Structure formats: structure tokens, C-alpha cells
Amino acid sequence: MGKEDNPYTGRTKDFLGEELRRRRQAKGLSQRELGNKMFISGGYLGQIEVGTRRLTADIAQRLDEELNTDGFFERLANAMKKSNHTAYFEETAELETLATAICDYACVFVPGLFQTEDYIRALVRSTYPTAPPEKLDNAVKSRVERQSLLKNPERPDMWVILHETVLRTVVGGPAVMGEQLRRIAEIVRAHRSVVQVVPFSAGAHGCMGGLVSLMSFDDAPDVVYTEAALSGQLLDDPALVATHRKAYDHARAVALSPEASLKLIESVAEEFEQCAEKQT
């Protein structure tokens, strides 16, 4: 087989999109018509065709069923799997690189884009107490690679809301927490993100319950990613995205101002640093 006949040369996403488009059109189906058969939006299908959305195993299986392609798309989806992220987070990690704006809310742990290496190690170790060192190394590597997004001073536009619990929950000990909170303060002072803190005194609000990440794009609909312990879900239903957006706005309304939030973050960091000094 010559190189020009090999479907896995060049940009695999381009090949995938062209194959999907060609086989869909051969069946006489529009994106909307095929999407309706698969219970997804035509827009979502179009994003797969142009390579802005990843082909998941579930979608690949349904494409094979509807287009009668004898497992072609499922095999291609498996060939494209290279991510170090957990399966439920793979597509979200990819979408982060395409987003023009990301709005995060975290109620227990620091969001991954802001985590220090020691914080990541302690967090993964607490979740997987018997994990081998290479698992911790892979977790650190994948999250540090994600943080390259912050090197661009303008994109994505970042807005992060942290519940005060995030500042007070000790992950890895006082020294690790002091360094972690200083990292957040550095990001804020570098004007790379706006960060607000919802204090304990604010009481209940709409975003309570887990991590929420709202992402916006230049030429695609907004999506929202929600995460709980050991599970996550990416949602693109417009009504659900709008509901999460409203809840996020309510959380922002009860949060401290960015200036007061930074002052609190640095104050708690100092408390942890003083505690760490006493332990040495």
C-alpha cells in the first residue's frame, strides 16, 4: 500500500472529516438529518466534520450503524486516542484549546489550569492511595501541558470563581497550600485571569455541588462541563447551558469583588506559610 493510500498519514482529523462528509452525502443525508437519526444536533456533527470536535467512541458506533460502515469510524476513533486524560475529560481538554472564553466555578479543589505540581501530586495520591509513581507523573504531565493555555496573554479569556472551601481545604499540607494560593495570586496579578471568592457567609447559591466550566467559541455554540468525584459530563444542550450560565452569574453576584478576593487569597496563603514554618 502506497503512502497516498494510507488513511492515517497527515492530519487524521482532516481525513476523518472528509470521510464522514463523503459517506453522509453518499446516503443523501444533510448534517441535520443524520444528527436527528443519532439524537445529536446537526451542528455538533458539522463540528466533527471540520475537526473542532473529537469523535467519541459512542458517536463513532452510531455513525457506523447509521451509515453502514462496518466499524470503520469506531476503528478510526480508537486509532486517534492519544490523550493522557481520563476518558470522561478527554473531549473537554481538547475544547479548552479552542475556547475563546472559559468561566470556571470550583467548590472544593483548585481548578486544574491553576494547580501547582505538588498540589496535583497530593490530590491524585489522595484519590488513588496505592497508585504507582508513574501514574502521578502522568497526572502532573497532562495538567502542566494543559496550563500552556495560560501562556497566551489574551486567549482564552479566563474568569474563575472559587468557594472559600477551596482556599481552606488542606491538600498536601500547609507548605503546598501556601505555594498553591500564591500561584493563584500570581496569575491574578499578571492579569491572566479574574478570580473571585464566594465566602462562607454567602450561604447557598446555584453553582454549589461540583466543578462547573463554561466554554465559549468563535464559531460554535457554548458548552458546559460539570464534574463530580471520578466522573464528568460535557453538555451542549442550549437550555442546559443557559441554566448553568444563569447559575454562574448568581454565584458571581454573591462573590467578593476581585480586589477583596485577592486580598483573602493572599491572607490565607500567609496563614499556611506561617503554619508550615512552625512545623519545620
Side-chain angles (χ1 to χ4, degrees):
M1 180 173 66
K3 182 177 180 181
E4 66 275 10
D5 299 319
N6 182 355
Y8 301 106
T9 58
R11 279 174 48 95
T12 310
K13 280 187 177 182
D14 290 344
F15 169 78
L16 163 65
E18 181 57 34
E19 283 297 305
L20 175 52
R21 187 180 305 107
R22 183 175 67 81
R23 295 172 187 243
R24 171 179 59 77
Q25 291 174 345
K27 290 285 187 179
L29 297 170
S30 67
Q31 291 175 348
R32 176 177 294 181
E33 288 169 337
L34 179 56
N36 287 341
K37 287 176 174 289
M38 298 171 59
F39 303 102
I40 62 174
S41 71
Y44 185 8
L45 198 64
Q47 289 164 26
I48 296 174
E49 288 189 2
V50 298
T52 59
R53 285 292 183 93
R54 184 176 62 90
L55 178 66
T56 65
D58 177 60
I59 296 297
Q61 289 173 1
R62 284 187 273 173
L63 282 172
D64 285 328
E65 291 173 3
E66 296 298 335
L67 299 177
N68 193 27
T69 45
D70 191 29
F72 170 80
F73 287 105
E74 185 175 5
R75 292 192 297 272
L76 187 56
N78 289 333
M80 293 175 65
K81 288 189 77 171
K82 300 178 182 178
S83 176
N84 290 322
H85 301 290
T86 53
Y88 61 79
F89 188 69
E90 285 179 358
E91 187 172 5
T92 300
E94 186 170 344
L95 288 176
E96 281 182 336
T97 66
L98 303 171
T100 56
I102 298 176
C103 295
D104 281 353
Y105 171 82
C107 66
V108 180
F109 302 118
V110 173
L113 289 174
F114 286 4
Q115 292 174 3
T116 65
E117 292 189 15
D118 287 340
Y119 189 96
I120 296 168
R121 289 184 183 278
L123 197 56
V124 175
R125 177 61 72 197
S126 68
T127 306
Y128 304 100
T130 60
E134 55 267 26
K135 182 161 188 169
L136 272 67
D137 291 341
N138 287 338
V140 171
K141 179 182 177 182
S142 65
R143 295 191 196 181
V144 169
E145 287 176 349
R146 282 176 59 207
Q147 292 170 8
S148 63
L149 288 174
L150 300 178
K151 294 180 181 179
N152 186 327
E154 297 181 353
R155 177 178 175 142
D157 185 34
M158 292 285 300
W159 196 298
V160 176
I161 300 175
L162 306 174
H163 194 275
E164 189 173 349
T165 301
V166 176
L167 311 187
R168 305 287 183 181
T169 299
V170 182
V171 175
V176 172
M177 286 303 300
E179 180 187 25
Q180 176 61 78
L181 296 184
R182 292 295 182 188
R183 164 72 65 81
I184 296 172
E186 288 172 3
I187 293 171
V188 173
R189 290 194 175 280
H191 306 289
R192 188 58 192 83
S193 175
V194 175
V195 176
Q196 289 182 266
V197 176
V198 176
F200 290 127
S201 59
H205 57 85
C207 272
M208 295 183 70
L211 182 141
V212 176
S213 183
L214 289 148
M215 288 179 277
S216 301
F217 309 90
D218 278 332
D219 53 1
D222 292 0
V223 299
V224 60
Y225 172 74
T226 62
E227 185 174 284
L230 304 178
S231 64
Q233 187 175 23
L234 186 65
L235 306 169
D236 61 1
D237 178 82
L240 286 174
V241 173
T243 298
H244 279 284
R245 178 73 67 183
K246 184 177 293 186
Y248 191 89
D249 289 342
H250 289 168
R252 184 155 40 195
V254 300
L256 299 174
S257 69
E259 294 78 13
S261 296
L262 177 59
K263 184 175 181 180
L264 177 59
I265 290 168
E266 292 181 326
S267 174
V268 178
E270 186 174 355
E271 292 175 17
F272 278 122
E273 290 164 349
Q274 291 174 351
C275 183
E277 288 180 2
K278 292 179 182 179
Q279 291 182 352
T280 58

